[in-house]
Amino acid sequence: MRLRAIISYDGSAFSGYQVQPGKRTVQLELERVLQTMHKGPIVKVVASGRTDAGVHATGQVIHFDSELTLPMDRWRTALNVQLPGDIRVLSVEQVQNDFHARYNAVGKTYRYIWSLNEVHSPFERNYSVHVDRYKPNIERMKEASNHLLGTHDFSSFCASNTSVKDFVRTIDSIRLEVDKEMNQLQMEISGNGFLYNMVRIIAGTLWEIGIGKKSVEDLPAILQSCDRKNAGKTAPAHGLYLEKVVYSE
Amino acid sequence: MRLRAIISYDGSAFSGYQVQPGKRTVQLELERVLQTMHKGPIVKVVASGRTDAGVHATGQVIHFDSELTLPMDRWRTALNVQLPGDIRVLSVEQVQNDFHARYNAVGKTYRYIWSLNEVHSPFERNYSVHVDRYKPNIERMKEASNHLLGTHDFSSFCASNTSVKDFVRTIDSIRLEVDKEMNQLQMEISGNGFLYNMVRIIAGTLWEIGIGKKSVEDLPAILQSCDRKNAGKTAPAHGLYLEKVVYSE
């Protein structure tokens, strides 16, 4: 039978999601625990997409196959007991055998967090990007973000080391909000899919517009140029969270 | 001249505050940076009190002496630039030469945090104690906490490995509150001083009363017995925060 799980992880101590030789990755830890539970055979785990080193997840979705006779309500605990504390399984459910965590995903939501505090709290240091020296113009960032909504070729917002051929994606919403209690600027972005580093390049570009290094009017030209060099810097990994993956069923 | 600083640290990767041979401690990191700034001589750092391995601080107070000719408003940044990210200096000010961070402290506030979530978030795992299997009776814990208010011999709430002779302390307030958004139970406790592990033993004892392992009526007897064996277990270090140190001036 096929199982789908929603998982959360603190990306700080991982070399990203995907298995890489000699590196500690989220996939490695998940497959290691499932292998133990299945007493030997490798159980392949498929995620909605990989995340880079340092990137966090509060709602990553994975699937795997298992013939274990375990009551469905025991799966979560059985996995969490063996997983390291920086990965937690939030829920597990049985799905159709043809469900695929990556191919069936029709939408994703990410969050990007900037800390505006004068001193970056030790408790926040791996979970937000410290930008205290700047006072961003958030209205300008919002205005610029509107140019990204809808369906576009996002080549300018894709890291160059990609094998992807189709750079057209649709962004449904970008919300920029200040969390006053935390003194954070947060960006929530939803779309039908994101290219490699796309959210971090959008975050970096909007940030440069916020601090006046680029102007709102630059954005349409950056988008139309289809050239990564024209967009802003890739914002650091540790400010990024994969928050939600949407499926069509 | 003598300087006083308020500092914050994530205790997760420290073997406590105080210097110990071969261990990474908060004091070691502070003295290492001050030694570099002073180009050689060791600068001794005195804290309001030590904290154990894993214990956090959001308002620890330290003092040290320096003859560096650095404008006062540059001290914080100069220290933070060189300190590791899990220690941050929040403020620095000049004080009288006879100020002493430990001897002049007249009060302290600590916070203890229990996470009541079903699954312990990876982002909270080092910053709260996970107690999901229990539903504590918080009213009972509050009632019991009233017995601890005022001036008592707190021998029952002091770890046995202590060199202290005087076990009398005064607790001014204990506030137990549920943070609904985080689904946490928090205890804030203030007093004129705390014995070794006293806050953690109080937290552990109140918790045992909350889950019915001890009763509210047990508390006066525990206190009067002056015997550590009668109190509850020492609650884990990573739920504890030193929040504030009060001075008389």
Side-chain angles (χ1 to χ4, degrees):
Chain A
M1 78 184 162
R2 183 153 289 188
L3 295 166
R4 169 166 69 183
I6 302 177
I7 64 172
S8 177
Y9 47 85
D10 173 350
S12 310
F14 289 109
S15 298
Y17 173 80
Q18 193 169 268
V19 164
Q20 293 176 62
K23 298 286 177 78
R24 182 175 187 256
T25 67
V26 177
Q27 187 186 357
L28 180 83
E29 295 288 357
L30 291 166
E31 291 183 350
R32 188 184 55 72
V33 167
L34 283 167
Q35 189 170 13
T36 305
M37 286 175 70
H38 290 77
K39 304 191 196 307
I42 287 170
V43 179
K44 190 165 164 56
V45 174
V46 176
S48 73
R50 62 185 178 177
T51 52
D52 279 343
V55 173
H56 312 294
T58 54
Q60 171 70 289
V61 175
I62 57 168
H63 83 251
F64 58 91
D65 293 324
S66 174
E67 297 309 323
L68 281 192
T69 51
L70 194 66
M72 199 47 59
D73 61 355
R74 297 296 312 279
W75 266 101
R76 184 175 78 179
T77 305
L79 288 163
N80 282 335
V81 162
Q82 294 196 59
L83 282 166
D86 49 358
I87 307 178
R88 289 292 90 179
V89 174
L90 306 179
S91 65
V92 183
E93 59 177 336
Q94 187 175 353
V95 285
Q96 300 282 344
N97 284 337
D98 62 353
F99 172 81
H100 193 284
R102 184 155 101 246
Y103 300 147
N104 293 13
V106 295
K108 280 185 183 169
T109 298
Y110 284 90
R111 184 173 298 271
Y112 198 88
I113 305 182
W114 292 272
S115 167
L116 306 173
N117 286 307
E118 269 196 278
V119 175
H120 203 193
S121 159
F123 305 102
E124 246 193 90
R125 73 191 187 286
N126 296 322
Y127 309 119
S128 62
V129 170
H130 191 222
V131 286
D132 69 307
R133 283 166 299 178
Y134 304 97
K135 295 233 180 305
N137 182 325
I138 294 162
E139 288 312 310
R140 223 189 274 155
M141 292 174 75
K142 284 183 185 175
E143 210 186 318
S145 74
N146 287 327
H147 289 294
L148 296 169
L149 299 180
T151 305
H152 303 280
D153 180 318
F154 282 100
S155 302
S156 300
F157 295 90
C158 178
S160 46
N161 50 336
T162 180
S163 56
V164 170
K165 299 277 181 292
D166 177 11
F167 295 91
V168 176
R169 296 290 183 277
T170 301
I171 297 181
D172 299 315
S173 69
I174 301 179
R175 278 175 38 191
L176 285 148
E177 273 175 13
V178 172
D179 179 324
K180 283 189 181 155
E181 205 189 327
M182 296 291 286
N183 200 19
Q184 291 175 335
L185 170 60
Q186 302 200 355
M187 174 181 80
E188 188 197 81
I189 183 167
S190 298
N192 70 344
F194 292 90
L195 299 161
Y196 188 45
N197 279 357
M198 180 167 155
V199 179
R200 289 167 58 191
I201 299 170
I202 288 174
T205 305
L206 292 179
W207 178 256
E208 289 183 18
I209 291 168
I211 63 172
K213 208 176 150 187
K214 291 194 190 319
S215 74
V216 176
E217 295 69 35
D218 290 338
L219 200 55
I222 293 169
L223 195 56
Q224 282 152 32
S225 73
C226 290
D227 186 346
R228 168 69 189 91
K229 286 196 294 292
N230 293 323
K233 283 192 186 143
T234 305
H238 63 284
L240 183 63
Y241 296 73
L242 171 55
E243 214 167 63
K244 196 178 173 187
V245 186
V246 180
Y247 293 92
S248 53
E249 349 95 273
Chain B
M1 80 184 162
R2 184 153 289 188
L3 296 166
R4 168 166 68 183
I6 302 177
I7 64 172
S8 177
Y9 47 86
D10 172 350
S12 311
F14 290 108
S15 298
Y17 173 80
Q18 193 168 268
V19 164
Q20 291 177 64
K23 298 286 178 78
R24 181 175 187 255
T25 68
V26 178
Q27 187 185 356
L28 179 84
E29 295 287 357
L30 291 166
E31 292 184 349
R32 187 182 56 72
V33 168
L34 284 167
Q35 189 170 12
T36 305
M37 286 175 68
H38 290 76
K39 304 192 197 305
I42 288 170
V43 179
K44 192 166 159 55
V45 174
V46 177
S48 72
R50 62 184 177 176
T51 51
D52 279 343
V55 173
H56 312 293
T58 53
Q60 170 72 289
V61 176
I62 58 168
H63 84 251
F64 58 91
D65 293 326
S66 174
E67 297 309 324
L68 281 192
T69 50
L70 193 66
M72 199 48 59
D73 61 356
R74 295 298 310 279
W75 266 100
R76 184 176 77 179
T77 305
L79 288 163
N80 281 337
V81 162
Q82 294 195 59
L83 282 166
D86 50 357
I87 308 178
R88 290 292 89 179
V89 174
L90 305 179
S91 65
V92 183
E93 59 177 336
Q94 188 175 354
V95 286
Q96 300 284 342
N97 284 337
D98 63 352
F99 171 82
H100 194 284
R102 183 155 101 245
Y103 301 148
N104 292 14
V106 295
K108 279 186 185 170
T109 298
Y110 284 90
R111 184 173 298 271
Y112 199 88
I113 305 183
W114 293 272
S115 168
L116 307 173
N117 287 307
E118 268 195 279
V119 175
H120 203 194
S121 160
F123 305 101
E124 247 194 89
R125 73 191 188 287
N126 296 322
Y127 309 119
S128 63
V129 170
H130 192 221
V131 285
D132 70 307
R133 282 165 300 177
Y134 305 96
K135 295 234 179 304
N137 182 325
I138 293 162
E139 288 312 309
R140 225 190 272 154
M141 292 174 74
K142 284 183 184 175
E143 210 187 317
S145 74
N146 287 328
H147 289 293
L148 297 168
L149 298 181
T151 304
H152 304 280
D153 180 318
F154 283 99
S155 302
S156 300
F157 296 89
C158 179
S160 46
N161 49 336
T162 180
S163 56
V164 170
K165 298 279 183 291
D166 177 10
F167 295 91
V168 175
R169 297 289 184 278
T170 301
I171 296 181
D172 300 314
S173 69
I174 301 179
R175 278 175 38 192
L176 285 148
E177 274 175 12
V178 172
D179 179 325
K180 282 190 184 158
E181 205 189 327
M182 296 290 287
N183 201 17
Q184 291 175 334
L185 170 61
Q186 302 201 353
M187 174 182 81
E188 189 198 79
I189 182 167
S190 298
N192 70 344
F194 292 89
L195 299 162
Y196 188 45
N197 279 358
M198 180 167 155
V199 179
R200 289 167 57 191
I201 299 170
I202 288 175
T205 305
L206 291 179
W207 178 256
E208 290 182 17
I209 290 167
I211 62 171
K213 207 175 151 188
K214 291 194 189 318
S215 73
V216 176
E217 295 69 34
D218 290 339
L219 201 54
I222 294 170
L223 194 57
Q224 281 151 36
S225 72
C226 290
D227 186 346
R228 167 70 187 93
K229 286 195 294 293
N230 294 323
K233 283 193 185 142
T234 306
H238 64 283
L240 184 63
Y241 296 73
L242 171 55
E243 213 168 63
K244 198 178 173 185
V245 187
V246 181
Y247 294 91
S248 53
E249 349 97 273

